[in-house]
Amino acid sequence: PDDVEARFFYSYYRLWDGTKGDAYSDFITFCKSVRSIVEAVAKSDYSEADKEKLLKDMCSYVKGLPSSMSGIQVDLWKTAPESEKAKYNNQKKACEKMGIELLYNFGDAIETHFNDNADIRSISVDAWKQAVAVQQQYPYCGIDKTLPEKYLVKMQKNDPNYTLPKKAGCISFR
């Protein structure tokens, strides 16, 4: 469809319309589409208020995806024969990593296309904060552990009082 809202929700609901076995590949496809959809929102003839509302809606939908996709892989792992368990464990970690990257990339796309609109730009901060929170939840998924510090400056540009949570793990020096 040409309508950007329809493109996003088509991709999103396609994730939930398939089987658990298809979730991993469908999630990869979804993650690849989000940046171009944000760009399409920016180029659309929607009013600024409508763009902001749509991007807020999109953000609320993507924020839960890393945990949901990881959970699906855990479910598959639990019922898989022993010979398949490693596959689903690796897909679980990949879903966690891709989900975190999805949140960072979603925020980056908004920042790129809406840098001159503080209200819309604040949605990127919301996505980045969620990325940091999910990265705390899944510290061993293979994602770059320095990303929260790299994004801190960007987040504080819009929310000067934001501080990073304590690092995940047994010992923290923050």
Side-chain angles (χ1 to χ4, degrees), residues 107-170:
D108 289 346
I110 292 172
E111 179 189 45
T112 297
H113 296 289
F114 296 97
N115 197 35
D116 59 338
N117 185 321
D119 291 333
I120 294 178
R121 198 176 57 238
S122 70
I123 300 166
S124 64
V125 176
D126 190 28
W128 295 330
K129 286 178 181 179
Q130 181 68 12
V132 169
V134 174
Q135 193 166 347
Q136 283 284 112
Q137 187 178 356
Y138 304 120
Y140 307 112
C141 68
I143 195 155
D144 180 355
K145 293 183 186 307
T146 65
L147 286 174
E149 286 84 10
K150 289 177 182 175
Y151 278 84
L152 178 62
V153 174
K154 290 179 164 198
M155 290 185 278
Q156 287 181 334
K157 181 178 170 185
N158 294 289
D159 183 356
N161 296 322
Y162 178 76
T163 58
L164 292 174
K166 290 184 178 183
K167 290 186 179 184
C170 298

Side-chain angles (χ1 to χ4, degrees), residues 47-98:
S47 70
E48 288 296 298
D50 287 342
K51 289 177 183 180
E52 181 180 355
K53 182 185 179 325
L54 177 56
L55 290 167
K56 280 182 179 178
D57 288 346
M58 290 169 61
C59 188
S60 70
Y61 281 88
V62 299
K63 284 169 61 172
L65 284 177
S67 296
S68 296
M69 291 297 122
S70 176
I72 288 170
Q73 297 307 312
V74 168
D75 289 347
L76 290 167
W77 178 86
K78 287 178 182 177
T79 60
E82 201 59 41
S83 62
E84 296 280 311
K85 288 199 182 281
K87 170 184 148 184
Y88 292 118
N89 189 50
N90 289 336
Q91 287 182 355
K92 177 186 87 63
K93 288 180 187 175
C95 283
E96 293 163 358
K97 182 179 182 206
M98 285 186 300

